[in-house]
Amino acid sequence: MSPERSVDKKRIAFLASGRGSNFQAVIDAIAAGTIPGICVGLVTDNPGAYAIERAKSAGIPVTVVDYARFPAKAAYEEALLSAMRACRADLFVLAGYMRILGFGIVREFSGRMMNIHPALLPAFSGLHAQRQAIEYGVKVAGCTVHLVDEGMDTGPIVVQRCVPVLPDDDETTLADRILAEEHEALPLAVKLFCEGRLEADGRRVRVR
Ligand code: GRF
């Protein structure tokens, strides 16, 4: 069945800037029939993102909004917003999107935009979360899928997974261990959304 004809499935679109392994994890879960959704598009700010190859292999339409080609952030955000609108998505997933979204976009997609972050929020928001965890000396680390609000990595939490931090870990070994959990956590959060089982009540997200 063509994507346009599958009526019961949620339309899922992605924003990604790089490797796209989390994007791939959701593509695979959809292909396996675990998620009642269809991937309707990838929007990227980076023409060199490997996520583009993944989308092409899966037959997912790609829109590149190349950040470097815009004179100012406002013009970039305007183009990004129209690319996002064109996906007509029920859910937007930020899967390694490396820029901060403007308030206009966050407001427009409020309640239907998720981000994956490689730390147990609210600890270690922002860049290099795994390095922050190593440097702080925590014994447990992990990942968080959260709804996107106007702050940085501050939205209501949907799914968290944890991993131990081992004595010999460095940023890379810890990042790899967390990434394996990300590949479980993100498809789970997307599945719950697509099944209509997420209920946000202020900061708390309940799973029905
Ligand atoms: C992941 O660690 C994710 O949590 C963070 O950026 C990384 C993206 O990895 N936001 P990938 O592009 O999904 O492989």
Side-chain angles (χ1 to χ4, degrees), residues 18-23 95-96 98 116-118 130 179 182:
R19 170 178 68 174
S21 69
N22 280 289
F23 172 44
M98 299 310 285
I116 174 111
H117 182 75
Q130 303 94 332
L179 191 64
E182 293 184 43

Side-chain angles (χ1 to χ4, degrees), residues 108-176:
E108 179 153 336
F109 291 88
S110 174
R112 54 193 185 97
M113 185 153 62
M114 285 179 181
N115 179 46
I116 174 111
H117 182 75
L120 291 175
L121 292 171
F124 312 133
S125 60
L127 291 176
H128 308 300
Q130 303 94 332
R131 189 189 306 168
Q132 293 184 57
I134 294 276
E135 285 173 358
Y136 200 90
V138 292
K139 305 296 186 200
V140 177
C143 63
T144 303
V145 183
H146 64 91
L147 298 174
V148 176
D149 69 6
E150 289 168 8
M152 188 176 58
D153 302 325
T154 54
I157 291 169
V158 180
V159 172
Q160 286 186 307
R161 291 288 180 96
C162 54
V163 299
V165 181
L166 302 179
D168 293 335
D169 269 338
D170 58 22
E171 187 180 349
T172 307
T173 57
L174 180 60
D176 288 347

Side-chain angles (χ1 to χ4, degrees), residues 15 77-92 94 101-114 147-150 193:
L15 263 179
E77 288 263 326
E78 205 176 298
L80 183 67
L81 178 56
S82 61
M84 291 175 74
R85 280 179 178 154
C87 293
R88 296 186 295 111
D90 297 303
L91 173 67
F92 243 98
L94 275 52
L101 286 171
F103 289 170
I105 293 181
V106 170
R107 268 193 291 270
E108 179 153 336
F109 291 88
S110 174
R112 54 193 185 97
M113 185 153 62
M114 285 179 181
L147 298 174
V148 176
D149 69 6
E150 289 168 8
F193 180 94

